[in-house]
Amino acid sequence: MQKPTPDSYAGQIKGKTGLRRIINACGYSRDGFKAACEEQGFRQLLWLNIPLIVLTFFLPFGTASQMILIAASFLCLIVELFNTGVEAAVDHTSLEKHPLAKRAKDVCSAAQTLALALLALLWLTALWREYGFAFF
């Protein structure tokens, strides 16, 4: 693989150091969030997880339970960001049906399903632990 030259686009991006690199990285992250928010799946997960995160502070969970529930919400969002990125990369490569493209998209979908199952399991466990049979 050829190393980027300082005057190429990749060289200009990768050649940044210090504060300039951090500022650029923040801009790329902002752009990534904007792009993700254009995807309905990511928006739906935001609408699910933001209230769940807020709810952790209003229900009488201990600090450890709050941290686990919040981490599970963030995990769902992170997995969806990867899912969205893989789908965009696959679609950019080719829109033709291909078994490997399908596999890549399906594996990301499976990862999101596991993340959501974990979120549901942790919430049910936390509610069960706090309220027991009185909740169900």
Coordinates of all heavy atoms in Angstrom, one line a residue, residues 27-124:
G27 N -15.0 17.7 14.1 CA -15.8 18.0 12.9 C -16.2 16.7 12.2 O -17.4 16.6 11.7
Y28 N -15.3 15.7 12.0 CA -15.7 14.5 11.4 C -16.8 13.8 12.2 O -17.7 13.2 11.6 CB -14.5 13.6 11.2 CG -13.4 14.2 10.4 CD1 -12.1 13.9 10.8 CD2 -13.6 15.1 9.4 CE1 -11.0 14.5 10.1 CE2 -12.6 15.6 8.7 CZ -11.3 15.4 9.1 OH -10.2 15.9 8.4
S29 N -16.7 13.8 13.5 CA -17.7 13.2 14.4 C -19.0 13.9 14.2 O -20.1 13.2 14.1 CB -17.3 13.2 15.8 OG -16.1 12.4 16.0
R30 N -19.0 15.2 14.2 CA -20.3 16.0 14.0 C -20.9 15.6 12.7 O -22.1 15.3 12.6 CB -20.0 17.5 14.0 CG -21.2 18.3 13.9 CD -20.9 19.8 13.5 NE -20.2 19.8 12.2 CZ -19.1 20.4 12.0 NH1 -18.4 21.0 12.9 NH2 -18.5 20.4 10.7
D31 N -20.1 15.5 11.6 CA -20.6 15.1 10.3 C -21.2 13.7 10.3 O -22.2 13.4 9.7 CB -19.5 15.2 9.2 CG -19.0 16.6 9.0 OD1 -19.8 17.5 9.4 OD2 -18.0 16.8 8.4
G32 N -20.5 12.8 11.1 CA -21.0 11.4 11.2 C -22.4 11.4 11.9 O -23.2 10.6 11.5
F33 N -22.5 12.2 13.0 CA -23.8 12.2 13.7 C -24.9 12.8 12.8 O -26.0 12.3 12.8 CB -23.7 13.0 15.0 CG -23.0 12.3 16.1 CD1 -21.9 12.8 16.7 CD2 -23.6 11.1 16.6 CE1 -21.3 12.1 17.7 CE2 -23.0 10.4 17.7 CZ -21.8 11.0 18.2
K34 N -24.6 13.8 12.0 CA -25.5 14.4 11.1 C -26.0 13.3 10.1 O -27.2 13.1 9.8 CB -25.0 15.6 10.4 CG -24.9 16.8 11.2 CD -24.4 18.0 10.3 CE -24.3 19.3 11.1 NZ -23.7 20.4 10.3
A35 N -25.0 12.6 9.5 CA -25.3 11.5 8.5 C -26.1 10.4 9.2 O -27.1 10.0 8.6 CB -24.0 11.0 8.0
A36 N -25.8 10.0 10.4 CA -26.5 9.0 11.1 C -28.0 9.4 11.3 O -28.9 8.6 11.2 CB -25.8 8.6 12.3
C37 N -28.2 10.7 11.7 CA -29.5 11.2 12.0 C -30.4 11.2 10.8 O -31.6 11.3 10.9 CB -29.4 12.5 12.7 SG -28.9 12.4 14.4
E38 N -29.8 11.2 9.6 CA -30.6 11.1 8.4 C -31.2 9.7 8.1 O -32.1 9.5 7.3 CB -29.7 11.5 7.1 CG -29.3 12.9 7.1 CD -28.4 13.3 6.0 OE1 -28.1 12.4 5.1 OE2 -27.8 14.4 6.0
E39 N -30.7 8.7 8.9 CA -31.1 7.3 8.8 C -32.3 7.1 9.8 O -32.1 7.4 11.0 CB -30.0 6.3 9.1 CG -28.8 6.4 8.1 CD -29.2 5.9 6.7 OE1 -30.1 5.0 6.7 OE2 -28.7 6.4 5.7
Q40 N -33.4 6.6 9.3 CA -34.5 6.3 10.2 C -34.2 5.4 11.3 O -34.7 5.6 12.4 CB -35.7 5.8 9.3 CG -37.0 5.6 10.2 CD -38.1 5.1 9.3 OE1 -38.0 4.8 8.2 NE2 -39.3 5.1 9.9
G41 N -33.4 4.4 11.1 CA -33.1 3.4 12.1 C -32.4 4.0 13.3 O -32.7 3.8 14.5
F42 N -31.4 4.9 13.0 CA -30.7 5.6 14.1 C -31.6 6.6 14.8 O -31.6 6.6 16.0 CB -29.5 6.4 13.5 CG -28.6 7.0 14.5 CD1 -27.8 6.2 15.3 CD2 -28.7 8.3 14.8 CE1 -27.0 6.7 16.3 CE2 -27.9 8.9 15.8 CZ -27.0 8.0 16.5
R43 N -32.5 7.3 14.1 CA -33.4 8.2 14.8 C -34.4 7.4 15.7 O -34.6 7.9 16.8 CB -34.2 9.0 13.7 CG -33.4 10.1 13.0 CD -34.3 11.0 12.3 NE -35.3 10.4 11.4 CZ -35.1 10.1 10.2 NH1 -34.0 10.3 9.6 NH2 -36.1 9.5 9.5
Q44 N -34.8 6.3 15.2 CA -35.7 5.5 16.1 C -35.0 5.0 17.4 O -35.6 5.0 18.4 CB -36.2 4.2 15.3 CG -37.2 4.6 14.2 CD -37.6 3.4 13.4 OE1 -36.8 2.4 13.3 NE2 -38.7 3.4 12.8
L45 N -33.7 4.6 17.2 CA -33.0 4.2 18.4 C -32.7 5.4 19.3 O -32.7 5.2 20.6 CB -31.7 3.6 18.0 CG -31.8 2.1 17.5 CD1 -30.5 1.6 17.0 CD2 -32.4 1.2 18.6
L46 N -32.5 6.6 18.8 CA -32.4 7.8 19.7 C -33.7 8.0 20.4 O -33.6 8.3 21.6 CB -32.1 9.0 18.8 CG -30.7 9.3 18.4 CD1 -30.6 10.5 17.5 CD2 -29.8 9.4 19.6
W47 N -34.8 7.9 19.7 CA -36.1 8.1 20.4 C -36.4 7.0 21.4 O -37.2 7.2 22.4 CB -37.3 8.2 19.4 CG -37.3 9.5 18.7 CD1 -37.0 9.7 17.3 CD2 -37.6 10.8 19.2 NE1 -37.1 11.0 17.0 CE2 -37.5 11.7 18.2 CE3 -38.0 11.2 20.5 CZ2 -37.7 13.1 18.4 CZ3 -38.2 12.6 20.7 CH2 -38.1 13.5 19.6
L48 N -35.8 5.9 21.3 CA -35.9 4.8 22.3 C -35.0 5.0 23.5 O -35.4 5.0 24.6 CB -35.6 3.4 21.7 CG -35.5 2.3 22.7 CD1 -36.8 1.9 23.3 CD2 -34.9 1.1 22.0
N49 N -33.7 5.3 23.2 CA -32.7 5.4 24.2 C -32.6 6.7 25.0 O -32.3 6.6 26.2 CB -31.3 5.1 23.6 CG -31.2 3.6 23.3 OD1 -31.1 2.8 24.2 ND2 -31.2 3.2 22.1
I50 N -33.0 7.8 24.4 CA -32.9 9.0 25.2 C -33.9 9.0 26.4 O -33.5 9.2 27.5 CB -33.1 10.3 24.3 CG1 -31.9 10.5 23.4 CG2 -33.4 11.5 25.1 CD1 -32.0 11.5 22.4
P51 N -35.2 8.6 26.2 CA -36.1 8.5 27.3 C -35.6 7.4 28.3 O -35.7 7.6 29.5 CB -37.4 8.1 26.7 CG -37.3 8.5 25.3 CD -35.9 8.4 24.9
L52 N -35.0 6.3 27.8 CA -34.5 5.3 28.8 C -33.4 5.8 29.6 O -33.3 5.5 30.8 CB -34.0 4.0 28.0 CG -35.1 3.2 27.4 CD1 -34.5 2.0 26.6 CD2 -36.1 2.6 28.4
I53 N -32.5 6.6 29.0 CA -31.4 7.2 29.8 C -31.9 8.1 30.9 O -31.5 8.1 32.0 CB -30.4 7.8 28.9 CG1 -29.6 6.8 28.1 CG2 -29.4 8.7 29.7 CD1 -28.8 7.3 26.9
V54 N -32.9 9.0 30.5 CA -33.5 9.9 31.4 C -34.2 9.1 32.5 O -34.1 9.5 33.7 CB -34.4 10.9 30.7 CG1 -35.2 11.7 31.7 CG2 -33.6 11.8 29.7
L55 N -34.9 8.1 32.1 CA -35.7 7.3 33.1 C -34.8 6.7 34.2 O -35.2 6.5 35.3 CB -36.4 6.2 32.4 CG -37.5 5.5 33.1 CD1 -38.6 6.5 33.6 CD2 -38.2 4.4 32.2
T56 N -33.5 6.3 33.8 CA -32.6 5.7 34.8 C -32.4 6.7 36.0 O -32.1 6.2 37.1 CB -31.2 5.4 34.2 OG1 -30.6 6.5 33.7 CG2 -31.4 4.4 33.1
F57 N -32.5 8.0 35.8 CA -32.3 8.9 36.9 C -33.5 9.2 37.7 O -33.5 9.7 38.8 CB -31.8 10.3 36.3 CG -30.4 10.1 35.7 CD1 -30.3 10.1 34.3 CD2 -29.3 10.0 36.4 CE1 -29.0 10.0 33.7 CE2 -28.0 9.8 35.9 CZ -27.9 9.8 34.5
F58 N -34.7 8.8 37.2 CA -35.9 9.0 37.9 C -36.4 7.8 38.7 O -37.2 7.9 39.6 CB -37.0 9.5 37.0 CG -36.8 10.9 36.6 CD1 -36.3 11.2 35.3 CD2 -37.1 12.0 37.4 CE1 -36.0 12.5 34.9 CE2 -36.9 13.3 37.0 CZ -36.3 13.6 35.8
L59 N -36.0 6.6 38.3 CA -36.3 5.4 39.0 C -35.3 5.1 40.0 O -34.1 5.5 39.9 CB -36.4 4.2 38.0 CG -37.6 4.2 37.0 CD1 -37.5 3.1 36.0 CD2 -38.9 4.2 37.7
P60 N -35.6 4.5 41.1 CA -34.7 4.3 42.3 C -33.7 3.2 42.1 O -33.6 2.3 42.9 CB -35.6 4.0 43.4 CG -36.8 3.3 42.8 CD -37.0 3.9 41.4
F61 N -32.9 3.3 41.0 CA -31.8 2.3 40.7 C -30.6 2.8 41.4 O -30.4 4.0 41.6 CB -31.5 2.2 39.2 CG -32.6 1.7 38.4 CD1 -33.0 2.3 37.2 CD2 -33.3 0.5 38.8 CE1 -34.1 1.8 36.5 CE2 -34.3 -0.1 38.0 CZ -34.7 0.6 36.8
G62 N -29.8 1.9 41.8 CA -28.4 2.2 42.4 C -27.5 2.7 41.3 O -27.8 2.6 40.1
T63 N -26.4 3.3 41.7 CA -25.5 3.9 40.7 C -25.0 2.8 39.7 O -24.9 3.1 38.5 CB -24.3 4.5 41.5 OG1 -24.8 5.5 42.4 CG2 -23.4 5.2 40.5
A64 N -24.7 1.6 40.2 CA -24.1 0.6 39.3 C -25.2 0.2 38.3 O -24.9 0.1 37.1 CB -23.7 -0.6 40.1
S65 N -26.4 0.1 38.7 CA -27.5 -0.2 37.7 C -27.7 0.9 36.7 O -27.9 0.6 35.5 CB -28.8 -0.5 38.5 OG -28.7 -1.7 39.2
Q66 N -27.7 2.1 37.2 CA -27.8 3.2 36.3 C -26.7 3.2 35.2 O -26.9 3.4 34.0 CB -27.7 4.6 37.0 CG -28.9 4.9 37.8 CD -28.7 6.2 38.6 OE1 -27.6 6.5 39.1 NE2 -29.8 6.9 38.8
M67 N -25.4 3.0 35.7 CA -24.3 3.0 34.7 C -24.4 1.8 33.7 O -24.2 2.0 32.5 CB -23.0 2.8 35.5 CG -22.7 4.1 36.3 SD -21.2 4.0 37.3 CE -20.4 2.6 37.1
I68 N -24.9 0.7 34.1 CA -25.1 -0.5 33.2 C -26.2 -0.2 32.2 O -26.0 -0.5 31.0 CB -25.3 -1.8 34.0 CG1 -24.1 -2.2 34.8 CG2 -25.8 -2.9 33.1 CD1 -24.3 -3.3 35.8
L69 N -27.3 0.4 32.7 CA -28.4 0.7 31.7 C -28.0 1.8 30.7 O -28.3 1.7 29.5 CB -29.6 1.1 32.5 CG -30.2 0.0 33.4 CD1 -31.4 0.5 34.3 CD2 -30.8 -1.2 32.5
I70 N -27.3 2.8 31.2 CA -26.8 3.8 30.3 C -25.8 3.3 29.3 O -25.9 3.6 28.1 CB -26.3 5.0 31.1 CG1 -27.4 5.7 31.8 CG2 -25.5 6.0 30.2 CD1 -27.0 6.7 32.8
A71 N -24.9 2.4 29.8 CA -23.9 1.8 28.9 C -24.6 1.0 27.8 O -24.2 1.0 26.6 CB -22.9 1.0 29.7
A72 N -25.6 0.2 28.2 CA -26.4 -0.6 27.2 C -27.0 0.3 26.2 O -27.1 -0.1 25.0 CB -27.4 -1.5 27.9
S73 N -27.6 1.4 26.6 CA -28.2 2.3 25.6 C -27.1 2.9 24.6 O -27.4 2.9 23.4 CB -28.9 3.5 26.3 OG -30.1 3.1 26.9
F74 N -26.0 3.3 25.2 CA -24.9 3.8 24.3 C -24.4 2.6 23.4 O -24.1 2.9 22.2 CB -23.8 4.3 25.1 CG -23.9 5.8 25.4 CD1 -24.7 6.2 26.5 CD2 -23.4 6.8 24.6 CE1 -24.8 7.5 26.8 CE2 -23.5 8.1 24.9 CZ -24.3 8.5 26.0
L75 N -24.4 1.4 23.9 CA -23.9 0.3 23.0 C -24.9 0.1 21.8 O -24.4 -0.1 20.7 CB -23.9 -1.0 23.8 CG -23.4 -2.2 23.1 CD1 -22.0 -2.1 22.6 CD2 -23.6 -3.5 23.9
C76 N -26.2 0.2 22.1 CA -27.1 0.1 21.0 C -26.9 1.2 19.9 O -26.9 0.9 18.7 CB -28.6 0.3 21.5 SG -29.2 -1.2 22.3
L77 N -26.6 2.4 20.4 CA -26.4 3.5 19.4 C -25.1 3.3 18.7 O -25.0 3.6 17.5 CB -26.4 4.8 20.2 CG -27.8 5.2 20.8 CD1 -27.6 6.4 21.7 CD2 -28.8 5.5 19.7
I78 N -24.1 2.8 19.4 CA -22.8 2.6 18.7 C -22.9 1.5 17.7 O -22.3 1.6 16.6 CB -21.7 2.3 19.8 CG1 -21.4 3.5 20.7 CG2 -20.4 1.7 19.2 CD1 -20.6 3.2 22.0
V79 N -23.6 0.4 18.0 CA -23.7 -0.7 17.1 C -24.5 -0.2 15.8 O -24.1 -0.5 14.7 CB -24.4 -1.9 17.7 CG1 -24.8 -2.9 16.7 CG2 -23.5 -2.5 18.7
E80 N -25.5 0.7 16.0 CA -26.2 1.2 14.9 C -25.3 2.1 14.0 O -25.5 2.2 12.8 CB -27.5 2.0 15.4 CG -28.3 2.5 14.2 CD -28.9 1.4 13.3 OE1 -29.0 0.2 13.7 OE2 -29.1 1.7 12.1
L81 N -24.4 2.9 14.7 CA -23.5 3.7 13.9 C -22.6 2.8 13.0 O -22.4 3.1 11.8 CB -22.6 4.6 14.8 CG -23.3 5.7 15.5 CD1 -22.4 6.4 16.5 CD2 -23.8 6.7 14.4
F82 N -22.1 1.7 13.5 CA -21.3 0.8 12.7 C -22.2 0.2 11.6 O -21.8 0.0 10.5 CB -20.7 -0.4 13.6 CG -19.5 0.1 14.4 CD1 -19.5 -0.2 15.7 CD2 -18.4 0.7 13.8 CE1 -18.4 0.2 16.5 CE2 -17.3 1.0 14.5 CZ -17.3 0.8 15.9
N83 N -23.4 -0.2 12.0 CA -24.3 -0.8 11.0 C -24.6 0.2 9.8 O -24.5 -0.2 8.7 CB -25.7 -1.2 11.7 CG -26.7 -1.9 10.8 OD1 -26.3 -2.4 9.8 ND2 -27.9 -1.8 11.2
T84 N -24.8 1.4 10.2 CA -25.1 2.4 9.1 C -23.8 2.6 8.3 O -23.9 2.8 7.1 CB -25.5 3.8 9.8 OG1 -26.7 3.5 10.6 CG2 -25.7 4.8 8.8
G85 N -22.6 2.6 8.9 CA -21.4 2.8 8.2 C -21.1 1.6 7.2 O -20.7 1.9 6.1
V86 N -21.4 0.4 7.7 CA -21.1 -0.7 6.8 C -22.1 -0.7 5.7 O -21.8 -1.0 4.5 CB -21.3 -2.1 7.6 CG1 -21.3 -3.3 6.7 CG2 -20.1 -2.2 8.6
E87 N -23.4 -0.4 5.9 CA -24.4 -0.3 4.9 C -24.0 0.7 3.8 O -24.1 0.5 2.6 CB -25.8 -0.1 5.4 CG -26.4 -1.3 6.1 CD -27.8 -1.0 6.5 OE1 -28.3 0.1 6.3 OE2 -28.4 -1.9 7.1
A88 N -23.5 1.9 4.3 CA -23.1 2.9 3.3 C -21.9 2.5 2.5 O -21.9 2.7 1.3 CB -22.8 4.2 4.1
A89 N -21.0 1.8 3.1 CA -19.8 1.4 2.4 C -20.1 0.3 1.4 O -19.7 0.3 0.3 CB -18.7 0.8 3.4
V90 N -21.0 -0.6 1.8 CA -21.4 -1.7 0.9 C -22.2 -1.1 -0.3 O -22.0 -1.5 -1.5 CB -22.3 -2.8 1.6 CG1 -23.0 -3.7 0.6 CG2 -21.4 -3.6 2.6
D91 N -23.1 -0.2 0.0 CA -23.9 0.4 -1.1 C -23.0 1.3 -2.0 O -23.3 1.4 -3.2 CB -25.0 1.3 -0.5 CG -26.1 0.4 0.1 OD1 -26.1 -0.8 -0.1 OD2 -26.9 0.9 0.9
H92 N -22.0 1.9 -1.5 CA -21.1 2.7 -2.3 C -20.3 1.8 -3.2 O -20.1 2.1 -4.4 CB -20.1 3.5 -1.4 CG -19.0 4.1 -2.2 ND1 -19.1 5.2 -3.0 CD2 -17.7 3.7 -2.3 CE1 -18.0 5.5 -3.5 NE2 -17.1 4.6 -3.1
T93 N -19.9 0.6 -2.7 CA -19.1 -0.3 -3.6 C -20.0 -0.8 -4.7 O -19.5 -0.8 -5.9 CB -18.7 -1.5 -2.7 OG1 -17.9 -1.0 -1.6 CG2 -17.8 -2.4 -3.5
S94 N -21.2 -1.2 -4.5 CA -22.1 -1.7 -5.5 C -23.5 -1.9 -5.0 O -23.7 -2.3 -3.9 CB -21.6 -3.1 -6.0 OG -22.5 -3.6 -7.0
L95 N -24.4 -1.5 -5.8 CA -25.8 -1.7 -5.5 C -26.3 -3.1 -6.0 O -27.5 -3.4 -5.8 CB -26.7 -0.6 -6.0 CG -26.4 0.8 -5.3 CD1 -27.3 1.9 -6.0 CD2 -26.7 0.7 -3.8
E96 N -25.5 -3.8 -6.7 CA -25.9 -5.1 -7.2 C -26.0 -6.1 -6.0 O -25.3 -6.0 -5.0 CB -24.8 -5.7 -8.2 CG -24.7 -4.9 -9.5 CD -23.7 -5.5 -10.4 OE1 -23.4 -6.7 -10.3 OE2 -23.2 -4.7 -11.2
K97 N -26.9 -7.1 -6.2 CA -27.0 -8.1 -5.2 C -25.8 -9.0 -5.2 O -25.4 -9.4 -6.3 CB -28.3 -9.0 -5.4 CG -29.5 -8.2 -5.1 CD -30.7 -9.2 -5.1 CE -32.0 -8.4 -4.7 NZ -33.1 -9.3 -4.6
H98 N -25.2 -9.2 -4.0 CA -24.0 -10.0 -3.9 C -24.1 -10.7 -2.6 O -24.4 -10.1 -1.6 CB -22.7 -9.2 -4.0 CG -21.5 -10.0 -4.2 ND1 -20.9 -10.6 -3.1 CD2 -20.8 -10.3 -5.3 CE1 -19.8 -11.3 -3.6 NE2 -19.7 -11.1 -4.9
P99 N -23.7 -12.0 -2.5 CA -23.8 -12.7 -1.3 C -23.0 -12.2 -0.2 O -23.4 -12.2 1.0 CB -23.4 -14.2 -1.6 CG -23.2 -14.2 -3.1 CD -23.3 -12.9 -3.6
L100 N -21.8 -11.6 -0.5 CA -21.0 -11.1 0.6 C -21.5 -9.7 1.1 O -21.4 -9.4 2.3 CB -19.5 -10.9 0.1 CG -18.8 -12.2 -0.2 CD1 -17.4 -11.9 -0.7 CD2 -18.7 -13.0 1.1
A101 N -22.1 -8.9 0.2 CA -22.7 -7.7 0.6 C -23.9 -8.0 1.5 O -24.1 -7.3 2.6 CB -23.2 -6.9 -0.6
K102 N -24.7 -9.0 1.2 CA -25.8 -9.4 2.0 C -25.3 -9.9 3.4 O -25.9 -9.5 4.4 CB -26.6 -10.5 1.3 CG -27.8 -10.9 2.1 CD -28.6 -12.0 1.4 CE -29.8 -12.5 2.1 NZ -30.0 -12.2 3.5
R103 N -24.3 -10.7 3.4 CA -23.7 -11.2 4.6 C -23.3 -10.0 5.5 O -23.5 -10.0 6.7 CB -22.6 -12.1 4.3 CG -22.0 -12.7 5.6 CD -20.8 -13.5 5.4 NE -21.1 -14.7 4.7 CZ -20.2 -15.6 4.3 NH1 -19.0 -15.5 4.7 NH2 -20.6 -16.7 3.6
A104 N -22.6 -9.1 4.9 CA -22.1 -7.9 5.7 C -23.3 -7.2 6.4 O -23.2 -6.9 7.6 CB -21.3 -7.0 4.9
K105 N -24.3 -6.9 5.6 CA -25.4 -6.2 6.1 C -26.2 -7.0 7.1 O -26.6 -6.5 8.2 CB -26.4 -5.8 5.0 CG -25.8 -4.7 4.1 CD -26.8 -4.3 3.0 CE -26.3 -3.1 2.3 NZ -27.4 -2.6 1.4
D106 N -26.3 -8.3 6.9 CA -27.1 -9.2 7.8 C -26.3 -9.4 9.1 O -26.9 -9.4 10.2 CB -27.3 -10.6 7.2 CG -28.3 -10.6 6.0 OD1 -29.0 -9.5 5.9 OD2 -28.4 -11.6 5.3
V107 N -25.0 -9.5 9.1 CA -24.2 -9.6 10.3 C -24.4 -8.3 11.2 O -24.5 -8.4 12.4 CB -22.7 -9.9 10.0 CG1 -21.8 -9.7 11.2 CG2 -22.6 -11.3 9.4
C108 N -24.3 -7.2 10.5 CA -24.5 -5.9 11.3 C -25.9 -5.9 11.9 O -26.1 -5.4 13.0 CB -24.3 -4.7 10.4 SG -22.6 -4.5 10.0
S109 N -26.9 -6.3 11.1 CA -28.3 -6.4 11.7 C -28.4 -7.3 12.9 O -29.1 -7.0 13.9 CB -29.2 -6.8 10.6 OG -30.5 -6.9 11.0
A110 N -27.7 -8.4 12.8 CA -27.7 -9.4 13.9 C -27.0 -8.8 15.1 O -27.5 -9.0 16.3 CB -27.0 -10.7 13.5
A111 N -25.9 -8.0 14.9 CA -25.3 -7.3 16.0 C -26.2 -6.4 16.7 O -26.3 -6.3 17.9 CB -24.0 -6.6 15.5
Q112 N -27.0 -5.6 15.9 CA -28.0 -4.7 16.5 C -29.1 -5.4 17.2 O -29.5 -5.0 18.3 CB -28.6 -3.8 15.4 CG -29.5 -2.8 15.9 CD -28.8 -1.8 16.9 OE1 -28.8 -2.1 18.1 NE2 -28.3 -0.8 16.4
T113 N -29.5 -6.6 16.7 CA -30.5 -7.4 17.4 C -30.0 -7.8 18.8 O -30.7 -7.7 19.8 CB -30.9 -8.6 16.6 OG1 -31.5 -8.1 15.4 CG2 -31.9 -9.4 17.3
L114 N -28.7 -8.3 18.8 CA -28.1 -8.7 20.1 C -28.0 -7.5 21.1 O -28.3 -7.6 22.3 CB -26.8 -9.3 19.9 CG -26.8 -10.7 19.3 CD1 -25.3 -11.2 19.0 CD2 -27.5 -11.7 20.2
A115 N -27.6 -6.3 20.6 CA -27.5 -5.1 21.4 C -28.9 -4.8 22.0 O -29.0 -4.4 23.2 CB -26.9 -4.0 20.6
L116 N -29.9 -4.8 21.2 CA -31.3 -4.5 21.7 C -31.8 -5.6 22.7 O -32.4 -5.2 23.6 CB -32.2 -4.4 20.5 CG -32.1 -3.1 19.7 CD1 -32.9 -3.2 18.4 CD2 -32.5 -1.9 20.5
A117 N -31.4 -6.8 22.4 CA -31.8 -7.9 23.3 C -31.1 -7.7 24.7 O -31.7 -7.9 25.7 CB -31.5 -9.3 22.8
L118 N -29.9 -7.3 24.6 CA -29.1 -7.0 25.9 C -29.8 -5.9 26.6 O -30.0 -5.9 27.8 CB -27.7 -6.7 25.6 CG -26.8 -6.3 26.7 CD1 -26.7 -7.4 27.8 CD2 -25.5 -5.8 26.3
L119 N -30.1 -4.8 25.9 CA -30.8 -3.6 26.5 C -32.1 -4.1 27.2 O -32.3 -3.7 28.3 CB -31.1 -2.6 25.4 CG -31.7 -1.3 25.9 CD1 -30.8 -0.5 26.8 CD2 -32.2 -0.4 24.7
A120 N -32.9 -4.9 26.5 CA -34.2 -5.3 27.1 C -33.9 -6.2 28.3 O -34.6 -6.0 29.3 CB -35.0 -6.1 26.0
L121 N -33.0 -7.1 28.2 CA -32.7 -8.0 29.3 C -32.2 -7.2 30.5 O -32.6 -7.5 31.6 CB -31.6 -9.1 28.9 CG -31.2 -10.0 29.9 CD1 -32.4 -10.9 30.3 CD2 -30.0 -10.9 29.4
L122 N -31.3 -6.3 30.3 CA -30.8 -5.5 31.4 C -31.9 -4.6 32.1 O -32.0 -4.5 33.3 CB -29.6 -4.6 31.0 CG -28.4 -5.4 30.6 CD1 -27.3 -4.4 30.0 CD2 -27.8 -6.1 31.9
W123 N -32.8 -4.1 31.3 CA -33.9 -3.3 31.8 C -34.9 -4.2 32.6 O -35.3 -3.8 33.7 CB -34.6 -2.5 30.7 CG -34.1 -1.1 30.6 CD1 -33.2 -0.7 29.7 CD2 -34.5 0.0 31.4 NE1 -32.9 0.6 29.9 CE2 -33.7 1.1 31.0 CE3 -35.4 0.2 32.5 CZ2 -33.8 2.3 31.5 CZ3 -35.5 1.4 33.0 CH2 -34.7 2.5 32.6
L124 N -35.2 -5.3 32.1 CA -36.1 -6.3 32.8 C -35.5 -6.7 34.1 O -36.1 -6.8 35.1 CB -36.4 -7.4 31.9 CG -37.4 -7.1 30.7 CD1 -37.5 -8.3 29.8 CD2 -38.7 -6.7 31.2

